[in-house]
Amino acid sequence: LVKVGDRILVSKHVGLEGTSIVASDFEAETSKFLNDEEIKEAKSYSKLLSVKEESLISRKFNVRALHDITEGGVLGAVWEMATNLGLGARIKYEDIPVTDVTKKLTKGFNLDPLRFISSGSMMIIVDKNDSEKLIEEAKLSGLLFTDIGELVDKGIVMEKNGEKIEIAEPSPDELYKVV
């Protein structure tokens, strides 16, 4: 059973699928913001979209819930998870893992990387006593798991530069602004 204080982790980096799609399908436009090496990296994110390994690693711990972060990005996933669990969530903007290439691409296209389709990244709700162990186990397998926040009684918020911003219900994915 989930409870207040459970930690919210994400695997890999958010925005991988969106970055890959835009760089592949809109390469000419993307080249205005990314150099050839960065475009190559962005396209390579398509090879990172499976979350099978995250699932297998997570099974070894007191994981309460797993959610593949897809349309609506990490903010959509936080809102969906908290709402479906009947709790609130508090996450920290600065802790959300976004690659430099994704940051550059989303800035160039004026997109929010936190609301960008993020298949390949898994959201994991885990008992606070297991979160560090899970992060370490993932690291041994070559995977990045990042603690971005926790479940709370009520309110779904993101702290950014000391300010609390309410996370709204997911709207159409940022990808649709490009495609």
Side-chain angles (χ1 to χ4, degrees):
L1 267 138
V2 296
K3 61 182 189 274
V4 168
D6 285 347
R7 303 305 300 175
I8 303 170
L9 310 180
V10 294
S11 68
K12 299 180 190 128
H13 294 85
V14 302
L16 295 175
E17 184 176 24
T19 301
S20 170
I21 290 169
V22 171
S24 297
D25 294 355
F26 301 93
E27 187 170 347
E29 295 90 336
T30 300
S31 67
K32 296 173 188 166
F33 315 115
L34 302 180
N35 64 38
D36 290 345
E37 196 57 40
E38 291 166 329
I39 290 172
K40 184 178 174 189
E41 179 181 327
K43 288 179 175 182
S44 78
Y45 294 168
S46 66
K47 298 181 184 110
L48 302 174
L49 303 185
S50 171
V51 290
K52 183 178 180 184
E53 197 171 351
E54 287 93 322
S55 303
L56 295 172
I57 292 168
S58 296
R59 286 184 192 170
K60 302 174 187 177
F61 298 90
N62 199 357
V63 168
R64 316 276 199 212
L66 297 171
H67 182 50
D68 186 8
I69 304 173
T70 54
E71 284 195 38
V74 68
L75 296 184
V78 168
W79 187 91
E80 289 170 0
M81 288 285 277
T83 300
N84 290 335
L85 296 171
L87 290 169
R90 183 174 54 234
I91 63 169
K92 292 183 86 170
Y93 172 84
E94 293 80 12
D95 293 340
I96 300 170
V98 183
T99 68
D100 289 339
V101 166
T102 295
K103 287 177 185 174
K104 243 175 124 171
L105 179 134
T106 53
K107 183 177 182 187
F109 282 96
N110 196 28
L111 307 173
D112 181 351
L114 305 186
R115 291 224 178 252
F116 204 28
I117 189 165
S118 294
S119 301
S121 185
M122 175 87 75
M123 183 165 289
I124 302 126
I125 307 292
V126 62
D127 183 287
K128 65 182 174 187
N129 296 316
D130 272 4
S131 64
E132 286 300 318
K133 292 180 252 179
L134 177 51
I135 290 168
E136 285 304 311
E137 180 79 17
K139 194 182 291 182
L140 292 173
S141 298
L143 271 180
L144 174 69
F145 276 35
T146 306
D147 186 322
I148 65 164
E150 66 182 337
L151 293 179
V152 295
D153 281 326
K154 60 184 180 190
I156 305 172
V157 298
M158 174 174 62
E159 293 178 3
K160 182 177 180 181
N161 302 323
E163 180 186 348
K164 289 185 178 173
I165 303 163
E166 187 175 333
I167 297 173
E169 182 175 354
S171 53
D173 194 278
E174 291 290 282
L175 179 64
Y176 296 116
K177 292 179 179 176
V178 180
V179 301

